[in-house]
């Protein structure tokens, strides 16, 4: 049967892609180059997964970003990652949400994208 098997990538425009790549490499430890970064599934923590989810057009969940999307990144330490990006001078949302799904935190990257950081719960 022909069907979707998973998320193959997130592709988006940025005013200065090279500067944004350098920012993510420096502040969140990605190993990104001009084509992006790979995150092999086997390197993700147990319980991590990809989500493909449309939201209602009227949602304010992506605010304060004005983009029509939000990017979610799996991390090993939400609080530590938020401290790093806060020190880099970007806007960090004030609350960390903790639930049975893990811990979530948010910031606006230098290109104006709302980024959701997700630390899956320990299995």
């Amino acid at each position: 049967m022909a069907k979707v098997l998973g998320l193959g990538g997130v592709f988006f425009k940025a005013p200065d892609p090279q500067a944004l790549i350098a920012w993510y490499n420096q502040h969140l430890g990605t190993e990104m180059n001009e084509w992006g970064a790979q995150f092999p599934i086997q390197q993700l923590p147990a319980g991590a997964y990809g989500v493909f989810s449309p939201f209602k057009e009227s949602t304010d969940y992506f605010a304060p970003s004005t983009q029509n999307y939000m990017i979610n990144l799996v991390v090993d330490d939400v609080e530590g990652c938020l401290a790093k990006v806060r020190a880099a001078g970007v806007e960090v949302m004030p609350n960390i949400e903790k639930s049975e799904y893990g811990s979530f935190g948010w910031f606006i990257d230098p290109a104006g994208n709302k980024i959701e950081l997700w630390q899956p719960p320990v299995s």
Side-chain angles (χ1 to χ4, degrees):
M1 173 186 249
K3 63 181 181 178
V4 173
L5 299 175
L7 184 64
V10 176
F11 308 95
F12 57 96
K13 296 177 182 181
D16 187 346
Q18 292 303 332
L20 195 59
I21 287 168
W23 188 89
Y24 273 94
N25 287 344
Q26 179 181 354
H27 300 291
L28 286 174
T30 61
E31 296 178 8
M32 201 178 322
N33 60 36
E34 67 276 355
W35 55 262
Q38 291 182 340
F39 304 110
I41 293 170
Q42 61 271 25
Q43 290 181 1
L44 293 174
Y49 47 84
V51 176
F52 181 67
S53 179
F55 280 66
K56 288 185 177 183
E57 191 172 38
S58 61
T59 188
D60 62 355
Y61 192 66
F62 305 164
S65 175
T66 59
Q67 303 288 12
N68 289 324
Y69 60 87
M70 180 182 66
I71 299 169
N72 173 293
L73 299 172
V74 178
V75 298
D76 61 356
D77 178 0
V78 165
E79 293 178 20
C81 287
L82 290 175
K84 284 183 169 184
V85 299
R86 183 179 289 112
V90 299
E91 181 180 1
V92 175
M93 307 304 102
N95 299 322
I96 293 176
E97 180 182 310
K98 296 184 179 190
S99 72
E100 68 270 19
Y101 301 108
S103 298
F104 297 86
W106 301 266
F107 69 93
I108 304 298
D109 77 7
N113 302 304
K114 185 171 184 185
I115 306 297
E116 180 175 69
L117 302 178
W118 172 42
Q119 181 180 347
V122 177
S123 303

